[in-house]
């Protein structure tokens, strides 16, 4: 059992010069065999292991990670959490995650700093208004707290937005989900890792998977840089590299891996206390507790595993930021980085069994996987433990690409007369 | 009587740069991958379509710009050519090429607006928003370039030293004109 | 921003181009003969290679021609470009 | 001004030009050429800010871009104030106003200083371990955390300054104007290469230019004098462009580099007007030479952060370059020879050098001997264990190091000093190299990472101290050798160069210097801005954070605005020492762009305000403006939305326009629709393949509506295509879809169907389209084109005629998107404005009424015509739209056909397009509203949503289109639209509300 974190434990440890803190997680060598191996030590993978141990009484589990835990998209995203999705299946999936977020710090005894400061999505043309209203109505009936704001209400909720009617694409209104917000990305990985480790899960870092061994239509284990590890169940949660792992197992996925960029400004005193997203002029921004403006850019249109995007994507995003927030012109970009995101044709994830028995894939989250971390882990754990999807992820199977039952979250096509 | 209303109808001068909207001229887009096409064009225009990428051919009346291996743009240099000539030329080309399936002939006289840029600093101006390396281009009279200037598609034709014609789609022309003038004022 | 050698126009900045994804996926000549699985394979399944990949690019803001490119997606190095219908210069 | 801190001996500051400025409200003076930091130091001001976490007093620590502490807010105007400006970089200008940041009420008395007392319970990562109780309180804790974090303040008004961009292409780009950069540039221009040399200072020469020492000579001249002559000689080369005040921000792949040129920041405020403030250079270089130099390392010891503790080389620059004494009684603390250069400079300038504490056992290099000759006291084998003085260093205590360096022994020796210069060696600035994708190698004798030349990703080299050469002879000789090789130059003017300098003879490095106190009772700062200490790094390691990235994120080391320039190496060293690993194996953290922070405005350039995005206008746009149209943004186009008259609301205007169009005549500018000219002998076959319906049998002169699908079977675009001749068609697309449709069609032609003889040419801008509808449309056309036979026999619905208006060729299409008898005039755009006016004149007697997109949408909805993108959302098949009639059963294939027959696309319970009528005819539904059958069912089952909804003046009731699950079978069924405040009852109907028999087409 791990020692509990609290203000009292901080004071107590201060007295001994902080020399006696426990390790947050062990650093074990891999065993020869596990009941389940999770490939990928990001938030989703660690959460999967955590829930397998916690809810499905499985303890002989390993999480194998090529680099360091939380070093992929978990540590590279803009930390937005919301559940105001259009389709019922998506809304249910993301709201399931949001509900877990609401008690996650307490559950993990690790402050993931989930801050429900609200997420606002802006509309800049008449079709945006229709689309966002459609989503708001659907959200409301699905029990998700979305409301429509007109231009004045947008201004009131976030006064620094340029809501003037004279700009190129004036703000015509927006939707607001107040339960939505942001969290501390690293803490999510670390909190789940600490929790999983406490229940006996082996977290094996610096262990790269080199092959997935199959016996006919069943998996048998993985070849790694630390040797062969046997297992009858393998859950792959390796955002960015899903196709690479699928190739090892001899299957193909409907994915393309593209660079997604983000950037932060130098830290300043609080200036924006919510999250604002705008699809039409493509910009989203929030401010971290440290004071940095956290800005998400778009993806490039080509496949790349370099974790670098092209400059014109970042430039285009900042252009949109200055259109909406002209006061930020003198702010300075401090850091810019890229991640690799797996994009599905319908912009919805895959949480699914595959044609190979014992091989499961959790991928295709595109640009928005962070928000789903707890829900994704919970549902993927259910899918692996029962060899059947939970009803909340049933729609996100691989077969939908064959049958044509896509969950198209691109929103309405950007076409209008 | 219908008036001809081109979008800019203006001329501006800045430090070492002059920008003009040229009087409307005939512009015809040609497409073909047929063998006889070249001969046909030679007969009608008295010039052969260039086969070398990024180049043009021309005589006193017309310039013929390479746009792609199967696409060219012919435009008239002769300001005095009137509307009738335009129709005549289009008709002739259409009948001798398109009608007999030797390619496609499309009148794009009003699709493109033509700017002329002159002066020592025209390349400094363009490279404010155009990533193209003009070093070779500007040395070669008649060279042709399709690229983007301030995110707008353009065709650029090098007339001579520090003098070029720039084609921009009509609906973008006012926007590009504004940008060019703005940028020129900071050179 | 890459420098891309358009097989028709020569070297240009990446901003003039757009990427059309994996190359050499031929549209089935007789789609109606295919099973749903086979059609899905054509429509959605991609190799998405980390390493040397063949892909389609369009010189959107230039000659508007589509062409193929051999590019290493692990470091973005472009090994070659070649015209549609031509054989890849690299295996 | 405190003259006693200024010496008058150098060439770099113009002491004849006095500049006044304000710091924290106090008026002060400096000289032309000063930075804010040098001017503050000359005024004996060291305390300039407070640290991020503990709010400890902090002073100027460096003289460059690595400055972690002296970060100020410039200006107080809400539009032009700028946060987080490094005092060490900003050039002094008349009227400069600067303020300390992150302190309240003032930098001298900061309430946040209490955090320093609480620091024992605020170790690295403390916030992950607390603030969790009670569960709902995080946002309340967060509020206070947010307010105590952050550095400066964001402006609160829009920036008035201008920024722009410039692309540049060159053979060689040299980054850095120090001695190695200058030599590189000279070699490149001697080779005849087009070269750009950039340097972030206003003055070339780096640190050599003020290196006036007998011990370092080039060709028998002091190195500074030699370099000055070389810089002068560069002016003779026409193939060299020198950009000063230009800092390299990012080095991307394919030698694409971004550099920021500061054009007005050094000018007094009134000189800046109407000038570009900063320019972003986008540089493509064939070859890049990085000569970005190195940064001096601090030493990590207890309380090493007090104001007055400054990097030794910075003290030297302040005295030699700016003529400013950083103290009156200065001590130095070092592990290498470079502090001795500082000592000598200080001594020569008449500043008392109290003592040099050197952790090495001894050194007999020339420079050390020179210092000894000057009578400077050196304490070998010692370290500083404590410093005193809260807002300014007053004194410190030193002790002897044990033989293994892990402890201190003997007695404490106390020294009084108002300034300590520290030097922990040098770190090559490899940031740009690694940004470009280059890999590093570890050089253990100097404890540095340098470029691994076997793993360089592009045509580039690093020269000088950024490549690990720190002594003048190595710098000069290796730069010449490597650059000549790099640019294939055989002979150069440098071939017989002769360099002499002092050589370092002894090295010693201890990443974390010991103190007599236990570590947990000390504060050895690593990252000065983020307040992370060596203790924090060790704590992270104890807690299992092993990777350097984990340690960095857990302790926030290297996450400040200096991006770890001063702290990263020490963090790595301490990790290596603690875990017993080799630093080279640990690797560094990723260096992310930009190298120095880049202003958003600079990145965006002129693309702000009116240049944010293009505005596409039709040829008739000015008429619409003159006639008071309200506009709708459709893609980049401006389209008239409605034409309010005499203060009408939109509703009133649209009702009037709609009635007029049906009762007499309406006129619409439809020029924005995409138009593609299609020619070639296979044109008909091509259309067969791209549209769902059949085209081969369309007669010449006839028009047909077509639906285009995606390959996945979903409706993509629609429009009318007209057969102009046997092998000649003109296709129209939606406004928003025009570019995508053309590119998609070209794609199929070029890649899938190269055998087809078809050519596509866009003519969207060539032709303007004027649509005239209503029972009087015929009469109006008749007046404009008297000789055109408009009889239904000669010119029926869905046909076209070539014609002339006033001698100008035009095409008249008889097609209708309103259900009324109507014509579309397609005319060359340059005549369109006059044709439009002619139509208005001709229609005057018929009350011809211009209408916009809103009325167009209403009229077509009355007829049940879809708008792709509004009634479709990329998830609907033609069958879902109740348009099965448009899918040819005979055609073997067309784009998307196969997808229509998948198990989930043939299901009958898919969502389908229907009409809706509200039970209350006055009630207009909200577009986007959802439809349910049973409101009490939980969870609510949503059957679909309203896609289009209007109040129809022609039917005097509300009408709507909707997508409803199994909608085809539900005609007559009652559904509910649950709104927030009420439920609205609706009935499902046919999609056509008006003139179901299409009588009006020929009316």
């Amino acid at each position: 059992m791990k020692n509990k974190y609290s203000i009292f434990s901080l004071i107590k440890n201060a007295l001994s010069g902080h020399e006696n803190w426990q390790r947050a997680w062990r650093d074990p060598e891999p065993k020869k065999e596990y009941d389940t191996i999770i490939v990928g030590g990001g938030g989703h993978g660690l959460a999967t292991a955590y829930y397998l141990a916690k809810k499905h009484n499985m303890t002989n589990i390993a999480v194998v990670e090529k680099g360091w835990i939380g070093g992929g998209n978990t540590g590279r995203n803009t930390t937005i959490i919301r559940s105001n999705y259009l389709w019922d299946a998506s809304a249910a999936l993301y709201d399931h995650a949001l509900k877990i977020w609401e008690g996650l710090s307490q559950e993990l005894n690790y402050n993931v700093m989930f801050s429900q400061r609200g997420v606002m999505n802006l509309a800049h043309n008449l079709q945006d208004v229709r689309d966002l209203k459609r989503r708001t109505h659907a959200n409301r009936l699905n029990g998700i707290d979305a409301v429509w704001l007109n231009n004045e209400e947008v201004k009131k909720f976030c006064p620094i937005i340029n809501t003037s009617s004279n700009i190129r694409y004036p703000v015509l209104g927006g939707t607001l989900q107040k339960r939505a917000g942001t969290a501390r990305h690293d803490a999510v990985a670390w909190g789940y890792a600490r929790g999983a480790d406490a229940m006996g899960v082996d977290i094996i870092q610096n262990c790269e998977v080199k092959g997935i061994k199959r016996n006919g239509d069943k998996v048998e284990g993985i070849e790694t840089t630390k040797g062969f590890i046997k297992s009858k169940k393998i859950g792959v949660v390796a955002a960015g590299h899903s196709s690479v792992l699928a190739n090892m197992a001899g299957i193909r996925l409907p994915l393309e891996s593209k660079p997604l960029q983000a950037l932060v400004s130098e830290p300043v005193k609080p200036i924006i206390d919510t999250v604002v997203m705008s699809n039409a002029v493509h910009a989203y921004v929030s401010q971290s507790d440290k004071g940095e403006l956290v800005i998400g850019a778009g993806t490039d249109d080509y496949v790349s595993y370099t974790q670098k995007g092209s400059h014109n994507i970042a430039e285009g995003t900042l252009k949109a930021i200055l259109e909406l927030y002209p006061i930020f012109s003198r702010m300075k970009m401090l850091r810019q980085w890229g991640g690799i995101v797996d994009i599905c044709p319908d912009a919805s994830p895959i949480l699914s069994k595959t044609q190979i028995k014992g091989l499961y894939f959790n991928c295709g989250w595109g640009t928005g996987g962070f928000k789903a971390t707890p829900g994704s882990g919970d549902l993927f754990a259910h899918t692996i433990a029962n060899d059947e999807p939970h009803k909340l992820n049933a729609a996100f199977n691989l077969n939908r690409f064959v049958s044509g039952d896509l969950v198209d979250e691109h929103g309405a096509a950007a076409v209008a007369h | 009587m219908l008036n001809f209303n081109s979008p800019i109808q203006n001329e501006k001068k800045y430090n070492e740069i002059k920008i003009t909207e040229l009087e409307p001229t005939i512009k015809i887009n040609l497409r073909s991958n047929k063998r006889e096409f070249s001969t046909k064009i030679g007969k009608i225009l008295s010039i052969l379509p260039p086969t070398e990428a990024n180049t043009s051919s021309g005589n006193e009346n017309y310039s013929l710009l390479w746009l792609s291996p199967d696409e060219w743009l012919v435009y008239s240099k002769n300001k005095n050519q009137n509307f009738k000539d335009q129709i005549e030329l289009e008709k002739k080309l259409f009948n001798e090429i398109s009608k007999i399936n030797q390619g496609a002939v499309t009148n794009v006289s009003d699709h493109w607006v033509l700017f002329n840029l002159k002066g020592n600093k025209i390349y400094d101006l363009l490279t404010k928003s155009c990533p193209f390396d003009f070093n070779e281009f500007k040395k070669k009279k008649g060279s042709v370039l399709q690229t983007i200037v301030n995110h707008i598609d353009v065709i650029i034709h090098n007339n001579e030293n520090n003098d070029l014609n720039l084609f921009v789609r009509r609906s973008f022309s006012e926007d590009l004109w504004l940008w060019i003038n703005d940028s020129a004022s900071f050179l | 921003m890459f420098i891309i050698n358009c097989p028709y126009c020569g070297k240009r900045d990446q901003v003039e181009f757009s990427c059309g994804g994996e190359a050499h996926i031929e549209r089935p000549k007789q789609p109606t003969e295919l099973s749903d699985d086979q059609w899905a394979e054509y429509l959605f399944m991609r190799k998405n290679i980390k390493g040397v990949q063949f892909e389609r690019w369009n010189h959107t803001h230039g000659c508007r021609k589509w062409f193929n490119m051999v590019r290493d997606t692990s470091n973005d190095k472009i090994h070659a470009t070649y015209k549609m219908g031509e054989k890849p210069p690299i295996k | 001004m405190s003259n006693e801190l200024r010496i008058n001996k150098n060439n770099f500051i113009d002491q004849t030009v006095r500049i006044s400025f304000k710091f924290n409200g106090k008026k002060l003076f400096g000289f032309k050429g000063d930075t804010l930091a040098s001017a503050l130091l000359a005024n004996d001001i060291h305390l300039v800010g407070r640290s991020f976490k503990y709010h400890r007093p902090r002073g100027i620590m460096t003289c460059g871009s690595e400055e972690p502490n002296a970060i100020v807010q410039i200006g107080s105007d809400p539009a032009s104030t700028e946060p987080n400006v490094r005092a060490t970089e900003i050039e002094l200008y008349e009227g400069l106003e600067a303020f300390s940041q992150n302190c309240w009420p003032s930098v001298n008395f900061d309430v946040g200083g209490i955090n320093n007392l609480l620091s024992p319970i605020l170790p690295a990562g403390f916030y992950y371990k607390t603030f969790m109780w009670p569960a709902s309180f995080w946002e309340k804790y967060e509020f206070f955390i947010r307010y105590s974090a952050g550095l400066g303040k964001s402006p609160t008004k829009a920036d008035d300054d201008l920024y722009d961009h410039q692309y540049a292409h060159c053979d060689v780009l040299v980054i850095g104007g120090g001695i190695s950069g200058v030599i590189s540039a000279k070699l490149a221009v001697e080779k005849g290469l087009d070269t750009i040399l950039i340097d972030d200072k206003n003055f070339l020469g780096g640190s050599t230019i003020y290196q006036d020492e007998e011990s370092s000579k080039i060709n028998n001249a002091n190195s500074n004098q030699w370099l000055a002559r070389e810089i002068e000689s560069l002016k003779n080369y026409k193939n060299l462009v020198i950009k000063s005040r230009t800092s390299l921000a990012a080095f991307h792949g394919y030698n694409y580099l971004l550099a920021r040129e500061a054009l007005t920041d050094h000018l007094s405020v009134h000189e800046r007007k109407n000038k570009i403030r900063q320019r972003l250079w986008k540089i493509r270089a064939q070859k890049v030479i990085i000569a970005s130099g190195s940064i001096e390392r601090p030493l990590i010891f207890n309380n090493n952060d007090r104001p007055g503790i400054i990097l030794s080389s910075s003290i030297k620059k302040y005295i030699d370059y700016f003529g400013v004494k950083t103290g009156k009684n200065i001590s130095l603390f070092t592990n290498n020879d470079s502090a001795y250069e500082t000592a000598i400079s200080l001594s020569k300038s008449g500043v008392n050098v109290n003592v040099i504490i050197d952790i090495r056992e001894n050194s007999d290099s020339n420079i050390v001997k020179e210092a000894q000759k000057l009578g400077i006291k050196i304490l070998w084998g010692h370290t500083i264990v404590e410093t005193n003085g809260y807002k300014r260093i007053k004194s410190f205590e030193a002790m002897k190091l044990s033989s293994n360096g892990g402890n201190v022994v003997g007695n404490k020796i106390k020294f009084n000093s108002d300034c300590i210069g520290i030097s922990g060696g040098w770190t090559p600035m490899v940031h740009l190299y690694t940004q470009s994708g280059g890999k590093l190698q570890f050089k253990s004798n100097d404890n540095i990472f340098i470029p691994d030349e076997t793993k360089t990703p592009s045509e580039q080299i690093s020269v000088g101290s950024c490549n690990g050469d720190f002594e003048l002879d190595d710098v000069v000789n290796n730069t010449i050798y490597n650059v000549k090789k790099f640019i294939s130059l055989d002979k150069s003017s440098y071939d017989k160069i002769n360099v002499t300098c002092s050589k370092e003879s002894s090295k010693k490095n201890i990443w974390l210097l010991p103190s007599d106190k236990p570590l947990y009772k000390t504060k050895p700062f690593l990252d000065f801005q983020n307040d992370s200490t060596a203790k924090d790094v060790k704590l992270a390691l104890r807690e299992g954070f092993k990777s350097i990235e984990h340690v960095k994120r857990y302790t926030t080391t290297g996450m400040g605005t200096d991006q770890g320039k001063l702290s990263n190496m020490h963090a790595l060293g301490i990790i290596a020492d603690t875990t017993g690993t080799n630093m080279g194996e640990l690797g560094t953290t990723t260096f992310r762009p930009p190298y120095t922070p880049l202003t958003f405005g600079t990145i965006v350039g002129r693309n702000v305000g009116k240049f944010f995005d293009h505005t596409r206008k039709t040829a008739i746009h000015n008429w619409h403006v003159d006639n008071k149209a309200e506009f709708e943004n459709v893609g980049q186009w401006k389209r008239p939305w409605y034409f309010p008259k005499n203060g009408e609301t939109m509703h009133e205007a649209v009702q009037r326009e709609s009635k007029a169009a049906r009762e007499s005549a309406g006129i619409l500018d439809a020029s924005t629709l995409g138009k593609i000219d299609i020619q070639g002998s296979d044109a008909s076959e091509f259309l067969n393949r791209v549209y769902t319906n059949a085209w081969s049998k369309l007669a010449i002169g006839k028009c047909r509506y077509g639906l285009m699908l995606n390959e996945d079977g979903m409706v993509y675009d629609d429009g009318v295509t007209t057969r102009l001749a046997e092998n000649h068609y003109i296709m129209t697309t939606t406004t928003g879809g025009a570019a995508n449709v053309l590119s998609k069609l070209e794609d199929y032609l070029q890649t899938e169907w190269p055998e087809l003889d078809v050519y596509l040419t866009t003519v969207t801008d060539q032709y303007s389209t004027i649509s005239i509808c209503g029972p009087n449309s015929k009469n109006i056309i008749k007046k404009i084109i008297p000789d055109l036979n408009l009889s239904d026999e000669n010119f029926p619905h869905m046909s076209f005629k070539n014609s002339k208006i006033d001698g100008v060729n035009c095409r008249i299409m008889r097609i209708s998107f309103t259900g009324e008898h109507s014509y579309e005039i397609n005319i060359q755009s340059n005549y369109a404005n006059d044709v439009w006016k002619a139509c208005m004149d001709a229609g005057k007697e018929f009350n011809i009424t211009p209408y916009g997109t809103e009325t167009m949408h209403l009229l077509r909805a009355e007829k049940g015509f879809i708008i792709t993108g509004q009634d479709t959302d990329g998830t609907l098949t033609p069958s879902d739209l109740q348009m099965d009639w448009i899918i040819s059963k005979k055609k073997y294939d067309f784009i998307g056909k196969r997808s229509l027959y998948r198990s989930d696309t043939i299901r009958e319970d898919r969502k389908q397009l229907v009409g809706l009528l509200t039970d209350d005819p006055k009630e207009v539904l909200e577009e986007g509203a959802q439809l349910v059958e049973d409101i009490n069912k939980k969870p609510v089952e949503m059957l679909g949503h309203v896609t289009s909804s209007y109040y129809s003046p022609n039917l005097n009731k509300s009408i709507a289109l909707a997508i409803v699950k199994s909608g085809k079978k539900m005609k007559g069924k009652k559904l509910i639209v649950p709104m927030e405040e009420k439920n609205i009852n609706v009935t499902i109907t046919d999609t056509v509300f008006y003139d179901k028999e299409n009588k009006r087409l020929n009316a």
Side-chain angles (χ1 to χ4, degrees), chain A residues 18 27 115-116 333 403, chain D residues 120 139 142 282 546 598 904:
Chain A
H18 298 288
D27 191 17
S115 169
Q116 295 184 288
M333 174 162 90
S403 71
Chain D
E139 278 96 355
E142 191 186 31
K282 299 178 169 181
K546 265 176 63 181
L598 207 49
D904 276 318

Side-chain angles (χ1 to χ4, degrees), chain A residues 5-7 10-11 14 17-19 21-25 27 68-69 75-76 87-88 105-106 109-111 113-117 125-127 130 133-134 137-138 140-142 147 168-170 184-187 190 205 263 265-273 281 287-293 295 308 311 315 318-323 326-337 401-406 408 411-417, chain D residues 52 79-84 102 120-121 123 127-132 135 138-139 142 146-152 155-159 161 163 165 258 277 282 435 437 520 530 539 542-547 549-550 553-554 559 561 563 592-594 597-601 603-604 607 612-615 632-636 638-639 641 673 734 736 856 867-870 873-875 902-905 911 926-930 942 945 978-980:
Chain A
Y5 288 158
S6 71
I7 183 72
L10 272 168
I11 293 168
H18 298 288
E19 293 286 339
W21 287 105
Q22 280 181 327
R23 292 178 67 98
W25 50 81
D27 191 17
W68 35 284
I69 58 168
R76 299 171 174 272
W87 301 101
D88 296 352
S105 294
Q106 286 69 36
N109 178 229
Y110 206 90
N111 190 354
M113 302 178 211
F114 178 42
S115 169
Q116 295 184 288
R117 56 181 76 170
N125 59 50
L126 299 175
Q127 191 54 40
R130 288 181 201 107
K133 282 194 170 171
R134 175 183 174 195
H137 286 296
R140 180 170 47 83
L141 295 169
N142 270 323
V147 291
R168 181 67 186 84
Y169 298 106
R184 170 83 193 134
H185 51 11
D186 292 330
W190 300 342
Q205 301 186 71
L263 58 99
S265 74
E266 292 187 344
V268 286
K269 294 291 175 193
I271 183 80
I272 174 168
D273 58 4
V281 301
Q287 189 176 16
S288 73
D289 288 343
K290 218 182 146 191
E292 296 160 336
L293 296 176
I295 292 168
K308 281 179 195 160
H311 171 73
E315 180 179 317
L318 285 173
K319 189 168 93 164
I321 289 287
L322 295 194
E323 172 76 350
I327 67 166
F328 289 156
S329 168
R330 297 174 96 87
M331 295 290 290
K332 286 179 235 128
M333 174 162 90
L334 177 61
R335 265 195 319 278
Q336 179 192 3
W337 67 93
F401 300 98
V402 175
S403 71
D405 194 16
L406 302 187
D408 194 335
V415 179
H417 272 279
Chain D
F52 200 82
S80 63
T81 186
E82 190 173 4
N84 308 342
N102 204 32
I121 61 161
Y127 33 76
Y128 300 119
K129 294 172 176 161
T130 182
F131 303 121
M132 290 181 277
W138 166 244
E139 278 96 355
E142 191 186 31
R146 279 162 65 88
Y147 273 87
S148 72
L151 290 170
T156 49
K157 280 199 170 151
D159 191 357
D161 272 321
Y163 304 83
H165 290 170
L258 304 175
R277 180 185 176 217
K282 299 178 169 181
Q435 263 186 37
Y520 74 87
N530 277 346
L539 170 64
R542 276 200 298 282
E543 291 194 81
F545 294 87
K546 265 176 63 181
S547 134
E549 284 286 350
H550 275 164
R553 285 157 181 260
Y554 194 63
M559 307 277 277
T561 60
Q563 290 275 285
R592 288 167 168 156
L598 207 49
T599 308
F600 288 2
I603 298 172
V604 175
N607 292 127
F612 167 65
D613 195 14
H614 308 308
T615 303
E632 179 189 357
N633 287 312
V634 183
Q636 290 173 323
K638 285 280 178 194
R639 296 198 69 179
W641 189 11
L673 292 181
T734 60
M856 172 185 85
I867 289 187
T868 54
Q870 176 170 344
D873 61 359
T875 69
R902 292 174 295 173
S903 58
D904 276 318
T905 46
K911 289 186 177 172
E926 184 167 279
E927 288 167 351
Q930 297 286 327
M942 286 174 266
H945 75 283
M979 301 299 286
E980 234 163 332

